Amino acid sequence: EDQVTQSPEALRLQEGESSSLNCSYTVSGLRGLFWYRQDPGKGPEFLFTLYSAGEEKEKERLKATLTKKESFLHITAPKPEDSATYLCAVRQGGSEKLVFGKGTKLTVNP
Amino acid sequence: DTAVSQTPKYLVTQMGNDKSIKCEQNLGHDTMYWYKQDSKKFLKIMFSYNNKELIINETVPNRFSPKSPDKAHLNLHINSLELGDSAVYFCASSPTGGDYNEQFFGPGTRLTVL
């Protein structure tokens, strides 16, 4: 049973066209929801940690939000350099391991 | 300065061979991990060590054996390589002692078994 589901699998945007990526999760006792960015041929790069429902974090054109069931990664006025795969991961209470979703591949066309 | 480094970056080998991948981190973290990313880009935990002690051991064939000589190093040895072992292997590290600690990943080792 998938604990972390990301949607859509792939998203194409025009430069400047804002949108959101979704990460829904089913773990209990959440000890952190993490967003990573992965460029082709590279390791995941840490973006955000969200701790509790209602929390928001921002970095440049990215804003991550968290509810009790899902997280959104909002991308405002994206640029081609925002093209990457965005990974969501959760850590459950009592465990050190991260469970990753399958990612959303974002392509931003100029 | 590279925070989490892995060697080699690429590894091409024949079925049945034994190979090792090395990982080092200079972040002063206590916990290190090995992940496998398959052809569909799904990233899954394999092992984790905290201060040289194994704390996570997922359902992984016993042909895979991690070894941590000290808390800055975590190596992965694979015996009798199979075609299905072809994937990208990532090492990661994180601090411990607090909640919500993020993990920092290395650049990955692309293993191709022929």
Side-chain angles (χ1 to χ4, degrees), chain B residues 81-96:
Chain B
L81 278 155
E82 300 179 357
L83 292 176
D85 297 332
S86 295
V88 182
Y89 292 85
F90 289 100
C91 177
S93 73
S94 71
T96 48

Side-chain angles (χ1 to χ4, degrees), chain A residues 7-78:
Chain A
S7 61
E9 287 187 16
L11 180 63
R12 276 188 185 275
L13 299 173
Q14 288 298 122
E15 185 171 3
E17 179 187 1
S18 301
S19 188
S20 295
L21 313 182
N22 177 265
C23 171
S24 62
Y25 61 93
T26 58
V27 297
S28 58
L30 183 72
R31 272 179 65 211
L33 184 139
F34 303 81
W35 281 99
Y36 286 83
R37 169 191 170 129
Q38 187 174 23
D39 292 298
K42 296 191 176 181
E45 176 189 345
F46 170 74
L47 293 174
F48 303 110
T49 307
L50 299 167
Y51 306 135
S52 57
E55 188 174 6
E56 299 181 352
K57 290 203 174 165
E58 289 188 65
K59 180 180 180 179
E60 296 181 356
R61 295 175 293 282
L62 300 176
K63 179 180 173 180
T65 62
L66 181 65
T67 72
K68 289 185 177 180
K69 293 183 180 180
E70 59 192 348
S71 176
F72 291 94
L73 185 64
H74 307 277
I75 303 176
T76 303

